[in-house]
Amino acid sequence: MPVVRPSEAVVHEMHGATFVSYATPSTGSRELCAWRGEIPAGTRAPAHTVSREEIFHLLDGELLITLDGTVHRVTAGDTVIINPGATLAVENPTTEVAVSWVTTSHGLEATLADGTRIVPPWAN
């Protein structure tokens, strides 16, 4: 289906954040996945290494994104390019919800520091 309405998006929760999935194979996307992330105030997601490139665009708010050991303060309108094999962690140190839009290719997997592999349903 070429148009995915907000009422048709699938909501997932993980590590204190909400992922609202729009583009996936189940909605007709053949190569890409896209979702809106809602990162509540005070949330600190664990560091993870990604298997696919991600394009992370912050729509609203402010975040600290640690990318391969370097901390970046990201504000609304900024875009972060995360290459395959990069390790990132996301933290919202503010008192407001941060909202992002993320695009990647199908098949994204994330590996936590302890070796746990996660296959996020909003990216597959």
Side-chain angles (χ1 to χ4, degrees):
M1 69 189 79
V3 177
V4 179
R5 310 279 180 209
S7 62
E8 299 166 333
V10 179
V11 178
H12 305 275
E13 306 273 337
M14 183 180 281
H15 301 297
T18 301
F19 302 87
V20 184
S21 178
Y22 290 88
T24 65
S26 66
T27 59
S29 176
R30 293 187 180 147
E31 296 179 15
L32 300 175
C33 294
W35 63 88
R36 186 180 75 238
E38 300 168 0
I39 303 102
T43 298
R44 180 181 288 195
H48 56 284
T49 302
V50 296
S51 64
R52 309 263 181 173
E53 182 175 63
E54 284 186 303
I55 305 301
F56 181 104
H57 181 76
L58 193 60
L59 297 169
D60 193 31
E62 182 177 320
L63 294 170
L64 295 177
I65 294 185
T66 304
L67 187 57
D68 289 332
T70 301
V71 178
H72 303 272
R73 183 170 295 280
V74 178
T75 58
D78 290 346
T79 299
V80 180
I81 299 168
I82 305 158
N83 289 309
T87 299
L88 75 142
V90 178
E91 178 182 355
N92 182 348
T94 74
T95 58
E96 304 293 325
V97 173
V99 180
S100 64
W101 184 262
V102 180
T103 302
T104 189
S105 55
H106 290 226
L108 174 77
E109 293 183 3
T111 304
L112 300 177
D114 68 1
T116 302
R117 289 179 53 204
I118 297 171
V119 179
W122 54 89
N124 288 283

